[in-house]
């Protein structure tokens, strides 16, 4: 099963290496890992999307909690939460096709952020499935480059305790 | 007061209670050694950094205090790695201090640069690269706190040379800033009650005690629980001494080379009470058939140890001593006479034994060491057959009496660990029970014991083989002794002599006792070269991945 693990960590050198090292040493396979500062500049939030059996996920969480620089770890699976991926995608826009791609961008509520003679860069965010769907619809036009942020997530309603 | 980073380091180490460290100097730690030149902190010069780490570890295991080692950057730091990994695997609290190249050179492949925080990330409990001298007091206090709380372990502090030499003024903060570090030691009261219920309901319980009992200082509480419920106790290798082994409730050690009674009891139990132990494969044998009929109750300070190797029916996270203190009053007195009848039968029918064929036997040597020291000696071991014979035949009385690399199984550990143990416990008789292969991995420390007149007695069980590997080859590889014969062993007595250490060769059983007595009379280090039966084996033995009660015993 897929899990979203959210870890609050000290915002200092070496934390990312500790977490990455933990995953590497135990051969855990992560789908994505996202790190960013929180409302408190002394802490960062890591959001880890990972697949695995419950026992494995339980070990992952226990091992994360063991790291001295990790302040809090939560498993969001089974909880009501908002999940988002952010993507930048560079789509080939041959003459005459730009309008079609623009329509797609509108339907997906994306944004064109750069444009040239041959291609354009679209910014899109949303749940993983929506982002995947957009990629597949762009395929016929030709995709030059995709950059995705990896999952970020937040529990709905009152602040996650 | 203006102090350099190096002065701050030594002051902080003294602050956290370190008065002895083991190390070797080098370019980037000269400023630190310069402070040690006239410091009250006693620095012991070793001959290899690996030995320095093991000595810090032996010091910690023998005393329960924080050990400390110090090495230079690059090769000095990487030489510590095996020692740090050894301490980490057995949860031993040590501080490893390393020098680092100048801050502005880090990452530039400077002379003797090694990314030691990167290298040791997976084998330390935590590590630090210090960038500002004013952080040193806080970092040392945090490191000491982390090493000696929760599940103990090594912490490394890497200090660039410019940080050591830079000057700082005034009083500095040493308050801990560890928002993410809160080990749970008290345990959940409801879980403790449930544990008591499980124990009270069980008719065939076994206590299975590991190194956590010793680390937590819970040996008296363990015995109290065992007595309250009339529960037999077996220990792991790391748990040796958690209960006096000659106590009626002790089944001695379990596992691959454990006693039959311990292994049978565990396999027939209806409740296995694991305390500070982690269900290692050397203990469980074939894990899917381990203690099949038993419920598992697991008390451990480290939540990630629980449910890792085996499914646990009742976890209790916390410090062994604190939990046992609250658990024992809830235990109902039961005589469990049927269970004990069964256990006494096993105990009577399956004793450890060896063939008495007139050859010099290692088991006999270990027994004699016990007798001449009144069973009081601290025993450090190497790895291999020597380690198992020491574990099986000494009969330990107290915690911190058996010092051995359990988890990592590091050859070369025992001798430097014995040096560390002797520094921690100057009044104690310390024996290092060695194998000829392992001893040669840190043999250079003969210089250290000679120089300091450290009275460690080395009992070399010299079989001319990498004996434990040879045993496996004999039993499972048709006696194809590939690269296990130690041709080219030196004359160890002459080697000792060359270092200025007394050496005694022992070839016959009747010479053992007088030689040991002579060694104990010498006020200084002694090497006893016991030329034992070269193909003696360690039995009983559970072959890898066999059921724990399938022991072979060809003795
Ligand atoms: C550093 C290291 N290298 C290799 C091994 C594998 N190993 C385990 S026991 C052993 C033989 C040890 O020989 P010796 O020290 O003579 O002890 P004996 O078994 O003969 O008592 C070896 C090579 C190890 N445990 N540690
Ligand atoms: Mg040998």
């Amino acid at each position: 099963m897929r899990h979203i693990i959210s870890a609050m960590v000290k915002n200092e050198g070496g934390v990312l290496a500790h977490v990455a090292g933990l995953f590497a040493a135990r051969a855990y396979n992560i789908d994505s890992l996202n790190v960013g500062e929180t409302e408190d500049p002394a802490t960062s939030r890591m959001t880890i999307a990972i697949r695995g059996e419950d026992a494995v996920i339980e070990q992952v969480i226990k091992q994360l909690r063991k790291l001295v620089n990790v302040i809090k770890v939560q498993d969001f699976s089974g909880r009501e939460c908002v999940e988002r991926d952010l993507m930048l995608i560079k789509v080939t826009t041959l003459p005459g096709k730009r309008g079609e791609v623009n329509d797609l961008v509108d339907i997906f509520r994306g944004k064109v952020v750069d444009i040239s003679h041959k291609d354009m860069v679209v910014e899109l965010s949303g749940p993983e499935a929506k982002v995947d769907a957009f990629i597949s619809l762009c395929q016929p036009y030709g995709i030059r480059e995709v950059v995705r942020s990896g999952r970020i997530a937040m529990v709905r309603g009152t602040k996650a305790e | 007061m203006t102090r350099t980073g190096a002065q701050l380091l030594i002051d902080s180490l003294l602050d956290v209670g370190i008065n002895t460290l083991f190390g070797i100097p080098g370019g980037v730690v000269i400023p630190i050694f310069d402070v040690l030149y006239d410091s009250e902190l006693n620095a012991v010069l070793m001959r290899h950094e690996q030995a320095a780490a093991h000595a810090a570890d032996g010091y910690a295991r023998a005393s329960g205090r924080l050990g400390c080692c110090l090495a230079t950057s690059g090769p000095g730091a990487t030489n510590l790695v095996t020692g740090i990994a050894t301490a980490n695997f057995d949860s031993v609290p040590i501080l490893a201090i390393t020098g680092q190249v100048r801050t502005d050179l880090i990452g530039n492949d400077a002379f003797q640069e090694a990314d030691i925080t990167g290298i040791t990330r997976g084998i330390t409990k935590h590590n630090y690269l210090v960038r500002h001298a004013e952080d040193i007091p806080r970092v040392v206090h945090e490191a000491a706190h982390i090493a000696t709380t929760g599940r103990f372990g090594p912490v490394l502090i890497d200090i660039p040379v410019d940080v050591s030499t830079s000057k700082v003024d005034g009083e500095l903060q040493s308050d801990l800033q560890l928002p993410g570090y809160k080990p749970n030691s008290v345990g959940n009261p409801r879980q403790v009650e449930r544990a008591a219920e499980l124990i009270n309901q069980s008719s065939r319980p076994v206590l299975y005690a590991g190194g956590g009992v010793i680390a937590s200082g819970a040996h008296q509480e363990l015995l109290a629980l065992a007595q309250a419920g009339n529960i037999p106790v077996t220990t792991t290798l790391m748990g040796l001494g958690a209960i006096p082994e000659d106590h009626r409730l002790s089944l001695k050690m379990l596992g691959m080379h454990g006693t039959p009674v311990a292994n049978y009891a565990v396999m027939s139990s209806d409740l296995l009470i694991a305390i500070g132990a982690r269900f290692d494969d050397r203990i469980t044998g074939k894990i899917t058939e381990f203690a099949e009929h038993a419920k598992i109750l697991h008390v451990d300070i480290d939540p990630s140890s629980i449910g890792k190797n085996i499914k646990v029916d009742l976890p209790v996270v916390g410090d062994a001593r604190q939990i046992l203190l609250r658990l024992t009053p809830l235990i109902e007195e039961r005589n469990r006479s049927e269970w004990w009848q069964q256990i006494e039968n096993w105990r009577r029918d399956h004793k450890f034994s060896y063939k008495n064929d007139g050859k010099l036997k290692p088991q006999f040597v270990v027994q004699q060491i016990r007798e001449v020291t009144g069973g009081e000696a601290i025993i450090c071991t190497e790895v291999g057959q020597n380690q198992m014979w020491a574990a099986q035949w000494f009969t330990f009385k107290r915690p911190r009496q058996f010092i051995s690399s359990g988890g990592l199984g590091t050859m070369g550990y025992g001798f430097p660990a014995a040096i560390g143990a002797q520094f921690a416990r100057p009044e104690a008789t310390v024996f290092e029970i060695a194998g000829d292969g392992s001893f040669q991995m840190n043999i250079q420390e003969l210089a250290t014991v000679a120089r300091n007149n450290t009275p460690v007695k080395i009992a070399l069980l010299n079989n001319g083989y990498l004996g434990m590997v040879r045993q496996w080859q004999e039993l499972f590889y048709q006696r194809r002794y590939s690269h296990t014969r130690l041709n080219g062993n030196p004359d160890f007595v002459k080697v000792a002599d060359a270092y200025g250490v007394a050496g005694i060769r022992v070839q016959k059983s009747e010479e053992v006792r007088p030689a040991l007595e002579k060694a104990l009379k010498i006020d200084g280090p002694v090497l006893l070269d016991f030329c034992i039966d070269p193909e003696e084996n360690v039995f009983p033995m559970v072959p890898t991945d066999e059921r724990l009660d399938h022991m072979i015993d060809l003795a």
Side-chain angles (χ1 to χ4, degrees):
Chain A
M1 186 181 145
R2 207 185 55 128
H3 290 248
I4 302 282
I5 295 170
S6 172
M8 197 139 82
V9 304
K10 263 181 133 179
N11 190 5
E12 62 184 29
V15 189
L16 180 59
H18 261 116
V19 171
L22 186 154
F23 285 104
R26 290 174 179 74
Y28 299 143
N29 220 333
I30 50 181
D31 282 354
S32 76
L33 170 76
N34 182 290
V35 199
E37 226 174 75
T38 65
E39 69 278 11
D40 170 6
T43 63
S44 298
R45 170 83 61 189
M46 286 191 186
T47 309
I48 301 151
I50 182 170
R51 266 168 241 272
E53 292 180 16
D54 288 353
V56 174
I57 302 295
E58 194 186 313
Q59 258 303 306
V60 169
I61 292 173
K62 284 176 169 178
Q63 293 291 345
L64 278 171
R65 290 203 171 119
K66 242 170 111 163
L67 296 178
V68 170
N69 282 333
V70 172
I71 300 165
K72 188 149 94 183
V73 184
Q74 291 169 286
D75 185 353
F76 282 174
S77 42
R79 305 182 63 170
E80 275 285 308
C81 62
V82 188
E83 292 179 27
R84 291 291 179 269
D85 272 34
L86 172 66
M87 170 174 69
L88 295 174
I89 181 169
K90 194 179 281 174
V91 190
T92 314
T93 43
L94 295 173
K97 295 285 180 195
R98 189 175 285 163
E100 287 178 28
V101 176
N102 251 327
D103 287 349
L104 277 179
V105 173
D106 282 346
I107 293 166
F108 278 79
R109 292 201 225 137
K111 214 165 37 174
V112 176
V113 290
D114 185 51
I115 197 154
S116 74
H117 294 300
K118 291 197 219 111
D119 48 38
M120 61 194 203
V121 178
V122 177
E123 172 194 319
L124 184 80
S125 80
E128 187 182 18
K130 172 181 161 188
V131 176
D132 287 345
F134 186 79
I135 295 176
S136 104
L137 286 168
C138 288
Q139 223 102 50
Y141 305 101
I143 296 171
R144 302 175 70 95
E145 213 178 324
V146 171
V147 181
R148 289 174 77 158
S149 66
R151 205 82 17 89
I152 57 170
M154 188 178 272
V155 173
R156 289 179 194 273
T158 39
K159 197 170 180 241
E161 78 289 347
Chain B
M1 182 171 58
T2 304
R3 288 180 288 178
T4 63
Q7 279 165 331
L8 283 170
L9 172 69
I10 301 305
D11 289 351
S12 306
L13 290 176
L14 286 165
D15 259 4
V16 299
I18 286 166
N19 51 32
T20 306
L21 64 74
F22 304 88
I24 299 187
V28 296
V29 288
I30 294 177
I32 299 173
F33 275 87
D34 188 62
V35 177
L36 288 169
Y37 189 68
D38 45 15
S39 166
E40 59 187 285
L41 204 163
N42 178 29
V44 181
L45 173 66
M46 305 296 287
R47 295 301 188 272
H48 191 300
E49 289 87 354
Q50 183 192 349
H54 290 327
D57 168 317
Y59 181 97
R61 292 196 211 210
S63 63
R65 298 196 302 268
L66 182 59
C68 184
C69 56
L70 169 60
T72 193
S73 65
T78 55
N79 270 351
L80 290 178
V81 167
T82 302
I84 294 171
T86 303
N88 189 54
F89 222 136
D90 290 343
S91 311
V92 181
I94 63 171
L95 294 190
I97 318 274
T98 50
Q100 182 55 276
V101 300
R102 252 179 25 227
T103 317
D104 61 318
L105 292 179
I106 291 177
N108 289 6
D109 298 335
F111 176 64
Q112 294 198 325
E113 177 180 1
D115 171 20
I116 198 64
T117 49
I119 290 169
T120 59
R121 198 161 281 133
I123 53 165
T124 48
K125 188 166 169 190
H126 193 52
N127 63 30
Y128 292 89
L129 169 61
V130 183
R131 291 185 174 275
H132 308 284
E134 56 266 33
D135 293 339
I136 289 178
R138 175 183 54 82
V139 166
V140 170
H141 279 83
E142 285 183 5
H145 177 71
I146 291 166
T148 56
T149 52
R151 180 175 177 173
F152 301 164
V155 179
L156 179 134
I157 305 176
D158 196 24
I159 307 181
V161 61
D162 53 320
V163 174
S164 283
T165 52
S166 69
K167 295 197 170 82
V168 207
D169 276 328
E171 279 305 302
L172 295 172
Q173 271 291 348
S174 59
D175 292 353
L176 312 185
Q177 291 172 19
L178 297 168
Y181 182 73
K182 2 180 174 27
N184 173 7
S185 56
V186 286
N188 177 328
R190 187 67 200 102
Q191 294 295 87
V192 174
E193 281 165 32
R194 289 208 185 97
E197 281 161 29
L198 273 186
I199 295 172
N200 291 334
Q201 285 157 11
S202 75
S203 41
R204 299 189 309 280
V206 174
L207 272 158
Y208 146 50
V213 172
I214 292 172
S216 125
H219 49 285
Q220 277 162 349
E221 291 72 18
L222 174 71
L223 187 58
L225 170 62
Q227 282 170 327
N230 219 359
I231 306 168
V233 183
T234 180
T235 78
T236 64
L237 185 80
M238 296 305 300
L240 282 174
I243 180 169
E245 287 195 283
D246 51 8
H247 196 283
R248 143 191 104 76
L249 293 169
S250 166
L251 309 181
K252 307 188 89 175
M253 181 174 80
L254 82 163
M256 179 177 271
H257 294 295
T259 63
V261 58
N263 289 354
Y264 290 143
V266 165
M267 292 297 276
S268 316
S269 66
D270 67 352
L271 176 68
L272 189 59
I273 311 158
I275 308 198
R278 55 186 177 80
F279 297 87
D280 173 272
D281 52 276
R282 286 290 188 270
I283 294 298
T284 61
K286 191 172 191 178
I287 189 114
T288 48
E289 293 175 22
F290 176 70
E292 287 165 289
H293 314 294
K295 289 215 162 103
I296 310 270
L297 160 56
H298 193 174
V299 178
D300 207 289
I301 189 85
D302 177 5
S304 72
S305 269
I306 298 181
K308 182 178 61 185
N309 295 333
I310 198 164
K311 213 179 135 301
V312 168
D313 297 281
L314 183 68
V316 188
V317 176
D319 171 64
R321 182 161 177 276
Q322 304 226 28
I323 286 164
L324 292 181
L325 276 172
R326 285 186 296 131
L327 178 58
T328 303
L330 308 178
I331 300 303
E332 293 159 11
E333 200 182 313
R334 299 270 299 273
N335 62 17
R336 301 191 158 96
S337 50
E338 252 177 70
W339 182 220
W340 275 102
Q341 191 52 54
Q342 172 78 78
I343 287 171
E344 294 305 348
N345 288 345
W346 284 323
R347 180 141 58 187
R348 186 191 60 232
D349 297 342
H350 306 275
K351 287 205 163 45
F352 279 154
S353 65
Y354 59 90
K355 257 198 216 85
N356 231 328
D357 52 10
K359 294 186 193 149
L360 178 54
K361 295 290 178 177
Q363 300 93 334
F364 177 73
V365 174
V366 174
Q367 281 179 308
Q368 288 296 304
I369 295 173
R370 172 184 169 73
E371 284 187 20
V372 293
T373 60
E376 294 293 339
I378 293 178
I379 302 294
C380 302
T381 80
E382 297 294 347
V383 169
Q385 294 181 312
N386 59 87
Q387 180 182 35
M388 292 303 135
W389 286 319
Q392 289 183 332
W393 291 89
F394 191 82
T395 314
F396 294 90
K397 290 186 182 177
R398 280 179 287 102
R400 308 199 176 283
Q401 205 188 349
F402 177 76
I403 295 177
S404 191
S405 167
L408 198 65
T410 307
M411 290 171 70
Y413 168 80
F415 183 30
I419 297 173
Q422 188 77 77
F423 271 93
R425 301 273 314 276
E427 77 300 342
T429 304
V430 177
F431 265 85
E432 124 95 333
I433 294 185
D436 46 333
S438 304
F439 184 59
Q440 289 181 79
M441 291 203 183
N442 270 316
I443 194 168
Q444 76 288 342
E445 299 307 319
L446 282 169
T448 306
V449 291
R451 162 75 181 78
N452 295 286
N453 201 36
T454 316
V456 169
K457 314 299 177 204
I458 304 152
L460 185 65
L461 302 180
N462 186 352
N463 52 12
Y465 280 110
L466 297 169
M468 186 56 95
V469 182
R470 186 207 56 75
Q471 173 169 341
W472 285 46
Q473 290 170 333
E474 176 184 339
L475 298 175
F476 313 117
Y477 290 86
Q478 300 81 43
R479 293 179 165 264
R480 288 158 57 86
Y481 292 167
S482 176
H483 299 83
T484 42
R485 179 98 189 90
L486 291 174
N487 290 319
N489 265 353
D491 177 329
F492 288 100
V493 172
K494 277 193 190 156
V495 172
D497 185 54
Y499 277 102
V501 170
I504 305 174
R505 176 154 303 118
V506 181
Q507 275 158 322
K508 299 198 192 90
S509 306
E510 56 270 26
E511 296 166 5
V512 173
R513 188 61 176 254
L516 286 170
E517 282 165 358
K518 185 173 161 199
L520 285 175
K521 285 205 192 84
I522 296 173
D523 177 26
V526 180
L527 184 147
L528 294 132
D529 182 16
F530 293 103
C531 305
I532 60 166
D533 182 359
E535 299 208 9
E536 182 63 21
N537 286 326
V538 179
F539 287 123
M541 174 177 193
V542 181
T544 320
D545 221 24
E546 276 278 358
R547 280 173 61 97
L548 187 61
D549 49 6
H550 287 184
M551 286 161 278
I552 47 175
D553 189 347
L554 309 172

